[in-house]
Amino acid sequence: MTAIILVRGDITRQSVDAIVNAANSSLLGGGGVDGAIHRRGGPAILAECRRLRASHLGKGLPTGRAVATTAGQLDARWVIHTVGPVYRASGSEPSLLTSCYRESLRVADELGARTVAFPAISTGVYGWPMTDAARIAVAAVREAETEVEEVRFVLFDERAYEAFAAQLD
Ligand code: ADP
């Protein structure tokens, strides 16, 4: 059984085996969680992302997939980068958001990570409505078959925290 824990705060301040990054497919940095992780984690993370781009991820990381790098100076062993789907009112693909959580946990299992911190993927610049994103995130983790013992959702503000808390009631 994977325990689900909610924390309000900054994901870059967490002490866990793996911190999940809401990256973009370029893996070469962005704003939001991505910017914060690279700022606090230092240049080693970006250097490894560049190496991935130069080798087997030449076209970037597809939406819904996940890949691990060093965590640099963060208090974690790995950063797992995943690319959330952009929300479109005309039709978005919830299965791609589910896939981000599932694939990140699969990578965590491959690494042997037992504690994993997730942000609310796709709810920033990618625009996914928080309540729906929280529902998808919690269901994905509950349904995952994983050796991860603790999934910690790290929610940046009260609104995000409340949306996730409502899913755990
Ligand atoms: P995406 O591109 O997948 O939408 P963002 O990084 O823009 O990703 O935002 C994802 C969520 O993470 C948003 O709810 C945002 O408020 C939140 N967020 C931004 N910075 C941090 C941080 N340092 N720690 C935790 N959550 C954060």
Side-chain angles (χ1 to χ4, degrees):
M1 256 301 264
T2 307
I4 298 179
I5 289 174
L6 305 186
V7 173
R8 185 171 164 192
D10 179 344
I11 200 164
T12 68
R13 300 282 187 180
Q14 302 299 308
S15 305
V16 282
D17 291 334
I19 291 175
V20 176
N21 181 18
N24 58 54
S25 71
S26 80
L27 292 180
L28 300 181
V33 175
D34 201 5
I37 282 176
H38 285 290
R39 264 197 307 281
R40 191 172 299 276
I45 302 174
L46 190 57
E48 211 176 317
C49 287
R50 287 193 202 282
R51 284 196 291 277
L52 287 169
R53 286 299 309 275
S55 55
H56 64 288
L57 289 176
K59 289 181 179 159
L61 183 66
T63 304
R65 298 267 303 279
V67 68
T69 65
T70 174
Q73 289 155 28
L74 297 173
D75 191 10
R77 293 176 69 188
W78 303 282
V79 169
I80 298 174
H81 306 262
T82 189
V83 182
V86 175
Y87 184 78
R88 290 193 181 82
S90 57
S92 306
E93 197 39 78
S95 66
L96 285 175
L97 188 51
T98 299
S99 176
C100 289
Y101 290 96
R102 192 178 292 155
E103 286 292 297
S104 296
L105 290 172
R106 192 180 59 73
V107 170
D109 282 340
E110 281 173 10
L111 297 165
R114 293 290 176 261
T115 53
V116 179
F118 280 98
I121 298 165
S122 286
T123 64
V125 293
Y126 282 4
W128 207 289
M130 188 62 77
T131 303
D132 197 47
R135 181 182 61 73
I136 293 167
V138 170
V141 170
R142 280 186 172 147
E143 287 160 16
E145 284 179 27
T146 174
E147 300 298 312
V148 170
E149 291 163 6
E150 180 190 314
V151 162
R152 193 182 303 176
F153 288 111
V154 183
L155 294 325
F156 210 40
D157 57 29
E158 193 59 30
R159 191 177 65 91
Y161 185 93
E162 291 304 330
F164 276 71
Q167 295 300 321
L168 296 183
D169 283 348

